[in-house]
Amino acid sequence: MNRAYVSIDACHLPQVTDAELLGQLAAGLPFALEPAQRAAWEFQIAHLRELAVELPPAHFFLEFLIPRMGRRADLIVVIDGLIFVVEYKVGSSQFDRSSVDQVYGYGLDLKHFHETSHTASVVPILVATHAEEPVDNSLQWEDDGLARPLKVSADGLAPAINYVCRIWGGQPIGPVEWAEGRYRPTPTIVEAAQALYRGHDVEEISRSEAGAENLTHTSDYIASAIEDAKRNDRKIICFITGVPGSGKTLAGLNLATARQRAHGDEHAVFLSGNGPLVEVLREALANDAVDIARVAGEKTSKVKENRRASAFIQNIHHFRDDALSTEAAPIERVAIFDEAQRAWDVEQTSKFMQQKKGQLGFSMSEPEFLLSVMDRHDGWCAIICLVGGGQEINTGEAGIAEWLRALQRSFPHWQAHIPETLEHKIDLEEEITAPALHLATALRSFRAERLSDFVGEVIKGDAEAARAISHELQDFPLFVTRDMDAARSWLRSNVRGNERSGLLASSNAARLKPYGIFTKAKIEPAKWFLAPPEDVRSSNALEDAATEFDVQGLELDWTCVCWDSNFRRKGKVWETMQFRGTRWQAVNDAARQAFIANSYRVLLTRARQGMVVFVPEGTLVDKTREPEFYDAIFEFLRLSGFKPLP
C-alpha cells in the first residue's frame, strides 16, 4: 500500500512535468477524477514548484495517507529534521475552525500512530490560499513535540517553514525511511464507519500488529464461510466474541461494507438494537457523504444521504417489525447483528409483542424470531452475531445462550461457527469451532490494551489486582477527584484538534444532581458525539452527562466518570443500590445487581486516552449524600491505582 500518491525531492521536481504529476495523483484515486479535485491539484502542483525553489533540501509527499481517519493529507514536507503536515483550502479567505481541527487531527494521528513520528517534531499548517496572514501566528509546542497549527496564506507557507527550520531545525530525517515507518492506527468507531463507507479496506485503517491481524483473520474467516454457504446452499450463523473495545463492531461494519461492494445482490445489512449507536453512525455517514460531495462539486442532499445510510445501518427493532407484517423472506441474505447478547428473552419479547404489537400468544425469544425470519430464505443465508461479554445492562437481555438454545430447539439444520472462548453445554448438530472468531486484543484504548482487564478487577472489587495492572497503564492517565470543576478543567486541558471528551454517569446516579450531573435530562446522541464544542449539546461542552445506554458501543478520547452511591463499598465488596422516591434502597435481585455493575463497566471502558473519576464529597445535611457513602468509594479507587488529580 503506497503511503502517498507522489513522493519526490525538491531538486527532482523540475525534471517532472505538470501532466506527469497530475497523472500520478489521478492514478491513485479509486474513482474518476472530478473537476474540483483536478483544479485543486493543479493549484497545488504550481505552488509546489514555488516551494521547491524556496526549500531546496525538502522532500515532498502529496496525498499522504492518514489511516485512522481514512483521509489523505494534501502535502507533507520533510526538511531539517521536521515534519510539516499541510492542508490546503484552495480559494478560501478564512481559517475556519473545522479546517484547523482537521490538520491538527492529521498531526495527532502521526504522533500517536506512526512510529517514526513519535520522536519527530510535527508542525501542522493550514493554508487558506486567499486569506490575509493572521496577526498572532506564533508557534506553540506541546510536550510530545506536536505544534499547534499554524495558519498561513499560499504566499506565507514557504516563509513559515523556513522560519520554523531556522529556529527549531535539527538532524535530517530520511524521508523514505520516515514514510515507511510502521503505522498502528486505532480509529474511533465513527471514523472507522466513515472510512469503510467511503471504500477503504479495514487493513488501511486498523493496526498492523496482533490486534489488527486478528481482525483481518476474523473477516477472512467469515467471508470464506459465507462463500462456502453459497456454494453448498446452506444456512450458517457465526458468533464473534471479544473483549470490550477489541473491534467487534468494526469487524461487523467491515463485513457489511465489503459484502455490499463486492456482492450487492446479498443486500448485507448491519443491524443493531443500540439506538444511540445507530443514530450516531447514520448521522456521521450522512454528514461525511454530504461534505465529500460538496468538495467534489457533486449534487446531493442530507435527505438522500440519510436514506442511503439508513439502508446500510438499520435498527434491529425496525427489521423485526417489518418481518411481523409479512411472511416473505427479507431482501437481506447477510445480516450482521451487533451486540447480539442484548437480544430479549422469551418473557420480555412476548410481553412486548402482546402489549405493543398486538401479537397475542407470541412465544418466541428475540433470537428465535430473528432466526425464523432469516430461515424463510430458500437456499443459503448468513447471520453474524457480534457478542460482548459482561455488558448486559437492560432487563430481559437473554445473553448468547438463548441464540444457542434457539438453534438447538428450532433450527438444527443451521451450521454454527463458534469461537473457542464461547463455552456452552448446548448440544448443536452442526457446530464448527473457529479460533479466528475471537478478538482478544483491545484496540479502543490504544494507550492501554489492558484497560478492560483493569476495569474488570475494579468491578470485581479486587483493588490489589487492579493496582497491579495499573502499573502497565503508564501511558493512560487514571485520576480520581472530589472536585467537579477540576475534572472539567482536566478534560479541557487534554483535548486537542477533533478529539472528544465528555461526562459519563450511571443511569441511576440520582444524587449527582447537586453537582450539575442530571441523568434524567436525556442527551441527543448524534449532537453529543458529533457536534462541535461551541454547541452546548456537544460532549465537549461538558454540560450534559451521557449514561451507559447512550455510550455503549461508542467511545471518547477523554472521559470523566461521575460515580454515585448506587455502586458503593460495603466492607470489602460492592453494594448495589437504586434511588426510589427520596431514599436509596438495596438491590437484591441478582440480575439487577449485574446490570448496575455492568453500567459502571461500560462507563469505565469508554475512554481511548485517559479518564478521571469524580467522586463527590457528600454532605452531612443530606441523608442521601452522606460522606461515608463516597469516602469508601474514593479510597477503593485510590487503592486500585487511580491517582488523586493534582
Side-chain angles (χ1 to χ4, degrees):
M1 179 178 64
N2 292 326
R3 288 276 162 79
Y5 290 171
V6 174
S7 172
I8 191 168
D9 285 325
C11 61
H12 294 152
L13 196 61
Q15 303 166 21
V16 184
T17 67
D18 289 359
E20 288 173 324
L21 288 171
L22 187 61
Q24 290 181 48
L25 290 168
L29 289 175
F31 44 79
L33 176 60
E34 299 292 339
Q37 182 63 75
R38 182 187 184 95
W41 277 344
E42 287 174 343
F43 177 90
Q44 291 169 30
I45 289 170
H47 194 237
L48 193 67
R49 296 195 182 280
E50 297 176 15
L51 292 178
V53 174
E54 298 291 330
L55 308 170
H59 187 95
F60 302 122
F61 295 96
L62 293 175
E63 296 295 328
F64 189 88
L65 180 64
I66 306 294
R68 178 180 65 93
M69 303 170 76
R71 296 179 183 272
R72 289 182 178 270
D74 290 336
L75 173 65
I76 300 282
V77 181
V78 180
I79 182 173
D80 290 350
L82 299 167
I83 311 298
F84 295 88
V85 188
V86 181
E87 182 66 17
Y88 285 91
K89 296 302 174 184
V90 178
S92 178
S93 60
Q94 53 186 320
F95 305 99
D96 61 275
R97 171 69 179 269
S98 64
S99 297
V100 173
D101 286 345
Q102 179 185 353
V103 73
Y104 204 178
Y106 292 167
L108 285 164
D109 188 278
L110 292 173
K111 265 293 167 188
H112 288 325
F113 308 118
H114 188 211
E115 286 188 344
T116 47
S117 295
H118 291 342
T119 56
S121 296
V122 179
V123 184
I125 303 180
L126 175 63
V127 179
T129 58
H130 290 66
E132 294 183 4
E133 301 296 333
V135 176
D136 182 16
N137 202 28
S138 58
L139 192 62
Q140 302 175 50
W141 291 99
E142 303 283 0
D143 292 340
D144 58 2
L146 174 66
R148 292 188 176 273
L150 293 175
K151 294 170 281 190
V152 301
S153 67
D155 292 339
L157 180 57
I161 292 176
N162 267 321
Y163 171 76
V164 175
C165 288
R166 284 199 308 272
I167 306 299
W168 287 283
Q171 292 296 318
I173 294 175
V176 175
E177 293 75 17
W178 170 81
E180 291 178 349
R182 189 170 64 161
Y183 241 116
R184 303 174 64 198
T186 307
T188 68
I189 194 59
V190 170
E191 291 168 339
Q194 289 174 329
L196 292 169
Y197 196 59
R198 291 187 214 116
H200 291 270
D201 293 326
V202 71
E203 291 87 352
E204 291 184 292
I205 61 169
S206 60
R207 291 161 58 166
S208 58
E209 79 284 17
E213 289 173 6
N214 191 188
L215 190 63
T216 302
H217 293 330
T218 300
S219 299
D220 290 345
Y221 180 91
I222 291 176
S224 176
I226 291 175
E227 291 304 315
D228 182 72
K230 291 171 72 173
R231 283 193 303 271
N232 296 292
D233 208 26
R234 69 186 313 152
K235 296 177 171 67
I236 66 167
I237 183 168
C238 301
F239 296 90
I240 299 178
T241 59
V243 299
S246 59
K248 296 182 293 295
T249 301
L250 175 57
L253 289 169
N254 177 56
L255 178 64
T257 53
R259 302 309 295 184
Q260 282 193 353
R261 286 198 300 270
H263 308 277
D265 59 323
E266 295 176 1
H267 300 281
V269 63
F270 183 89
L271 298 164
S272 177
N274 184 338
L277 177 70
V278 171
E279 181 182 340
V280 170
L281 291 184
R282 282 178 173 176
E283 181 76 6
L285 296 182
N287 288 344
D288 195 48
V290 169
D291 290 343
I292 290 171
R294 184 179 64 248
V295 171
E298 299 173 349
K299 287 187 177 181
T300 190
S301 68
K302 183 69 176 293
V303 172
K304 177 182 176 181
E305 297 303 338
N306 264 323
R307 192 179 302 118
R308 282 186 62 222
S310 297
F312 170 53
I313 296 176
Q314 295 183 29
N315 190 302
I316 195 170
H317 302 307
H318 298 163
F319 180 85
R320 176 201 62 200
D321 294 347
D322 287 342
L324 286 171
S325 64
T326 179
E327 294 184 358
I331 192 173
E332 297 87 1
R333 287 272 181 179
V334 177
I336 299 107
F337 292 122
D338 192 32
E339 296 179 7
Q341 80 282 357
R342 299 182 66 181
W344 288 343
D345 58 21
V346 174
E347 181 181 357
Q348 186 72 13
T349 308
S350 299
K351 180 180 178 181
F352 175 83
M353 289 295 192
Q354 293 182 49
Q355 294 181 354
K356 302 295 185 181
K357 300 297 177 181
Q359 299 283 326
L360 301 179
F362 194 94
S363 59
M364 285 190 285
S365 65
E366 196 168 30
E368 186 168 1
F369 179 65
L370 293 171
L371 278 161
S372 75
V373 172
M374 293 299 288
D375 197 56
R376 296 172 187 174
H377 280 292
D378 289 329
W380 80 278
C381 67
I383 289 177
I384 314 301
C385 290
L386 311 178
V387 184
Q391 299 186 64
E392 295 81 5
I393 56 177
N394 284 303
T395 302
E397 290 184 4
I400 205 60
E402 178 54 30
W403 286 91
L404 302 179
R405 285 192 292 267
L407 287 168
Q408 180 192 49
R409 183 170 56 243
S410 306
F411 306 99
H413 56 288
W414 280 62
Q415 185 182 77
H417 297 251
I418 297 177
E420 292 175 317
T421 52
L422 207 165
E423 298 179 359
H424 66 92
K425 298 181 179 179
I426 298 170
D427 186 24
L428 300 176
E429 287 197 18
E430 288 201 66
E431 177 178 343
I432 296 176
T433 301
L437 293 180
H438 179 68
L439 301 171
T441 303
L443 300 179
R444 174 184 295 127
S445 303
F446 58 86
R447 287 184 169 178
E449 292 183 355
R450 295 205 64 194
L451 179 65
S452 62
D453 296 332
F454 169 78
V455 170
E457 298 299 341
V458 170
I459 298 301
K460 282 196 297 186
D462 192 334
E464 185 177 347
R467 191 174 190 86
I469 297 174
S470 74
H471 295 312
E472 300 180 41
L473 309 179
Q474 296 304 311
D475 294 329
F476 190 93
L478 290 166
F479 287 111
V480 62
T481 183
R482 316 301 293 270
D483 185 337
M484 191 67 233
D485 289 336
R488 285 189 171 98
S489 296
W490 183 80
L491 292 176
R492 291 190 178 107
S493 69
N494 279 289
V495 169
R496 296 186 287 181
N498 285 315
E499 292 178 349
R500 298 200 74 89
S501 64
L503 307 178
L504 308 176
S506 168
S507 56
N508 195 235
R511 297 311 298 139
L512 295 176
K513 187 163 60 170
Y515 309 97
I517 307 300
F518 187 36
T519 57
K520 299 304 179 185
K522 299 300 181 183
I523 68 167
E524 299 177 63
K527 295 288 187 279
W528 199 81
F529 277 101
L530 302 173
E534 57 269 20
D535 188 326
V536 295
R537 298 166 296 181
S538 163
S539 68
N540 277 340
L542 302 181
E543 291 193 12
D544 298 324
T547 71
E548 67 274 18
F549 300 113
D550 301 315
V551 300
Q552 189 173 38
L554 293 158
E555 62 230 326
L556 299 166
D557 290 286
W558 308 90
T559 65
C560 171
V561 177
C562 305
W563 204 300
D564 203 1
S565 57
N566 61 326
F567 199 50
R568 66 177 73 161
R569 299 296 291 171
K570 184 178 182 180
K572 295 185 177 182
V573 298
W574 288 109
E575 184 178 29
T576 50
M577 310 290 289
Q578 59 185 351
F579 195 77
R580 292 188 179 276
T582 61
R583 62 192 182 90
W584 290 106
Q585 296 179 355
V587 175
N588 298 315
D589 178 72
R592 285 291 306 154
Q593 290 175 341
F595 293 153
I596 293 172
N598 285 339
S599 74
Y600 279 90
R601 187 192 312 275
V602 169
L603 299 177
L604 290 167
T605 53
R606 294 309 95 190
R608 288 162 50 83
Q609 299 197 56
M611 85 173 114
V612 59
V613 176
F614 165 64
V615 181
E617 292 277 6
T619 175
L620 292 172
V621 301
D622 183 348
K623 292 295 183 182
T624 68
R625 294 188 291 129
E626 292 188 15
E628 65 181 86
F629 298 163
Y630 300 104
D631 290 346
I633 297 170
F634 179 85
E635 183 61 16
F636 173 80
L637 294 177
R638 190 186 66 78
L639 292 174
S640 296
F642 287 89
K643 299 175 182 177
L645 190 67

